[in-house]
Amino acid sequence: AQSVTQLGSHVSVSEGALVLLRCNYSSSVPPYLFWYVQYPNQGLQLLLKYTSAATLVKGINGFEAEFKKSETSFHLTKPSAHMSDAAEYFCAVSVGNSGGYQKVTFGIGTKLQVIP
Amino acid sequence: EPEVTQTPSHQVTQMGQEVILRCVPISNHLYFYWYRQILGQKVEFLVSFYNNEISEKSEIFDDQFSVERPDGSNFTLKIRSTKLEDSAMYFCASSPSLGDTQYFGPGTRLTVL
């Protein structure tokens, strides 16, 4: 079974500081990994995804994530937080299954607060 | 840029009533999904749909739920007899191919009174 664990349901950073949102996954087969962002009263927007190509994945809005198989991690980072980054971030996993179909399993989410 | 749309944005219903949530997936996508997010909880997979049939469903997706693609553009989720615990945000998603990125709609907030 696939699952993700997000450490820290709430994270606060100062504007201009490093953003680090942690995600660990569990999967019996090589996974696809995603980060989605949800702004207040809006839907889920894909930030970036890992699909077994480069382990360092760059996404929109200056975010990036690194797939580390040895640590089963896929942490999301941004060098310098902006006020507009305040949102809820979801790590998600999907497992390829020949002959089957891929559901996406989400983590609980991390709310990012950016302090001016 | 093409996007998934959902209507209505907010639906209020009485317990026991039927509701239909509507989605228009991205036009060249072949795989369709419904997820829900109960307030304060995880986004949970409900069902996936391909080639006019359910391809996978979760244990949440019981006989009270059904999905349909009534025409070439809409994808609907029906809840036959709503319960209080069905109150949630329901997200539709679509993807162009198996294993490809799923693009999510803005969601329909369902409130069951």
Side-chain angles (χ1 to χ4, degrees), chain A residues 89-112:
Chain A
Y89 293 79
F90 293 91
C91 183
V93 63
S94 182
V95 173
N97 185 356
S98 60
Y101 298 90
Q102 297 178 336
K103 68 179 183 182
V104 176
T105 299
F106 286 84
I108 193 70
T110 297
K111 287 186 178 171
L112 176 66

Side-chain angles (χ1 to χ4, degrees), chain A residues 15-39:
Chain A
E15 189 176 16
L18 171 72
V19 175
L20 171 60
L21 304 182
R22 298 178 186 275
C23 173
N24 288 88
Y25 70 91
S26 174
S27 171
S28 56
V29 297
Y32 290 178
L33 293 160
F34 308 86
W35 277 98
Y36 283 87
V37 60
Q38 185 179 31
Y39 297 101

Side-chain angles (χ1 to χ4, degrees), chain B residues 2 15 20 22 25 28 39 41 43 45 49-50 52 55-56 61 84-87 90-91 95 101 103 106:
Chain B
M15 188 170 57
I20 297 176
R22 291 183 167 80
N28 62 343
L39 188 63
Q41 297 187 24
V43 176
F45 169 80
F49 190 85
Y50 169 71
N52 281 319
S55 48
E56 187 174 358
F61 194 88
L84 296 176
E85 54 265 36
D86 293 327
S87 295
Y90 288 81
F91 292 106
S95 65
T101 299
Y103 294 87

Side-chain angles (χ1 to χ4, degrees), chain B residues 21 34 36 46-47 54 57 59-67 77-81 83 85-86 90 110:
Chain B
L21 309 183
W34 283 101
R36 78 172 184 190
L46 291 178
V47 66
I54 291 173
K57 61 182 180 179
E59 61 276 8
I60 302 168
F61 194 88
D62 61 21
D63 292 344
Q64 292 298 312
F65 292 89
S66 62
V67 289
L77 174 69
K78 182 193 292 186
I79 308 175
R80 288 190 183 79
S81 178
K83 305 171 195 165
E85 54 265 36
D86 293 327
Y90 288 81
L110 176 65

